[in-house]
Amino acid sequence: MALCLKQVFNKDKTFRPRKKFEPGTQRFELYKKAQASLKSGLDLKTVVQLPPGESINDWIAVHVVDFFNRINLIYGTMSEYCTERSCPIMSGGLKYEYRWQDDSKYKKPTKLSAPQYMCMLMDWIEMLINNEDIFPTRIGVPFPKQFQQVCTKILTRLFRVFVHVYIHHFDSIINMGAEAHVNTCYKHFYYFIREFSLVDHRELEPLKEMTERICH
């Protein structure tokens, strides 16, 4: 019997601590606006559009953090099925293999198992979004010039989590009764990155057929 979503996506399954927005800040108000739009039943293509008068960098920052939290949670539910033995290579089927590079421990693209890759990825994103020089939270502090470039790299790597989960662990998602939730999260993510051209179309190839089917 499929588990209810409350059981599947419970806080104990979170792969990393959730990053939160401070109440009273502009970023928090934007986050609330985005969440209200999501819950209103509006079309997801409309939900991702930049609200009039808002900063595009603030809008992107809010979504990058939110997607990190959501995808982190999705992978947390799959981590017991994604092991060194089942997934010795971080891949998306036979055609796509993802190697890790972070300019510190791994200076060259390095082959890792999927669990190792995911662990490195979540640590790396967490470090970036908590770095005030890249994701400033204080009023009046500007975003760095390379901000959108950094976000592109984060979102590109988060997309690879979807690739791996959909191709290698989708049976587990179905068995847990989480297919609709994961599909909605994916569609929201996909419409956002397409709206602002944040991920190269070549990176989207592994899920092209599925995307054409569920993202009309």
Side-chain angles (χ1 to χ4, degrees):
M1 183 182 292
L3 299 175
C4 70
L5 283 182
K6 188 174 182 182
Q7 288 173 287
V8 175
F9 295 97
N10 67 69
K11 62 182 179 181
D12 297 327
K13 287 279 191 177
T14 306
F15 193 55
R16 286 287 183 279
R18 291 170 66 85
K19 164 82 172 180
K20 296 182 179 179
F21 301 99
E22 289 297 322
T25 63
Q26 181 185 14
R27 203 83 47 82
F28 180 73
E29 295 305 316
L30 266 184
Y31 173 72
K32 286 202 302 183
K33 185 181 292 186
Q35 294 305 300
S37 295
L38 268 180
K39 292 174 183 176
S40 70
L42 286 173
D43 179 72
L44 286 171
K45 288 182 182 176
T46 304
V47 166
V48 300
Q49 293 172 0
L50 180 68
E54 299 293 355
S55 154
I56 186 170
N57 281 342
D58 274 319
W59 190 240
I60 290 174
V62 163
H63 281 81
V64 166
V65 172
D66 190 40
F67 287 135
F68 167 67
N69 286 334
R70 290 172 185 273
I71 296 169
N72 166 27
L73 190 57
I74 287 172
Y75 183 71
T77 70
M78 308 309 310
S79 56
E80 64 185 289
Y81 306 105
C82 184
T83 65
E84 300 286 331
R85 185 173 180 178
S86 68
C87 306
I89 298 172
M90 174 56 184
S91 61
L94 298 174
K95 192 175 178 182
Y96 300 95
E97 179 184 321
Y98 302 117
R99 298 190 175 190
W100 182 256
Q101 182 177 11
D102 55 19
D103 297 324
S104 56
K105 184 177 180 180
Y106 297 97
K107 297 184 184 298
K108 295 180 180 179
T110 304
K111 184 182 293 190
L112 297 177
S113 67
Q116 287 176 311
Y117 186 101
M118 298 297 186
C119 190
M120 297 302 299
L121 173 60
M122 299 306 175
D123 279 347
W124 175 76
I125 296 175
E126 191 175 24
M127 175 193 70
L128 290 173
I129 63 179
N130 286 303
N131 185 336
E132 283 284 332
D133 292 332
I134 301 172
F135 280 75
T137 57
R138 297 185 300 277
I139 295 174
V141 177
F143 286 91
K145 289 182 180 178
Q146 78 275 22
F147 175 70
Q148 289 190 25
Q149 185 179 342
V150 171
C151 289
T152 285
K153 196 164 186 178
I154 291 173
L155 293 167
T156 296
R157 288 178 165 181
L158 282 175
F159 184 82
R160 295 171 182 177
V161 179
F162 277 121
V163 173
H164 184 76
V165 167
Y166 269 117
I167 292 176
H168 295 276
H169 301 294
F170 198 60
D171 285 350
S172 298
I173 293 173
I174 292 173
N175 290 338
M176 289 190 293
E179 180 181 4
H181 179 94
V182 176
N183 283 349
T184 298
C185 184
Y186 175 76
K187 287 161 71 173
H188 185 201
F189 181 91
Y190 176 79
Y191 289 137
F192 184 80
I193 61 175
R194 297 304 287 163
E195 174 73 15
F196 300 103
S197 302
L198 289 167
V199 175
D200 190 290
H201 68 92
R202 290 170 295 186
E203 285 281 345
L204 308 179
E205 281 295 315
L207 296 181
K208 184 178 179 182
E209 289 184 15
M210 186 202 75
T211 302
E212 289 173 350
R213 190 168 66 250
I214 69 172
C215 299
H216 306 296

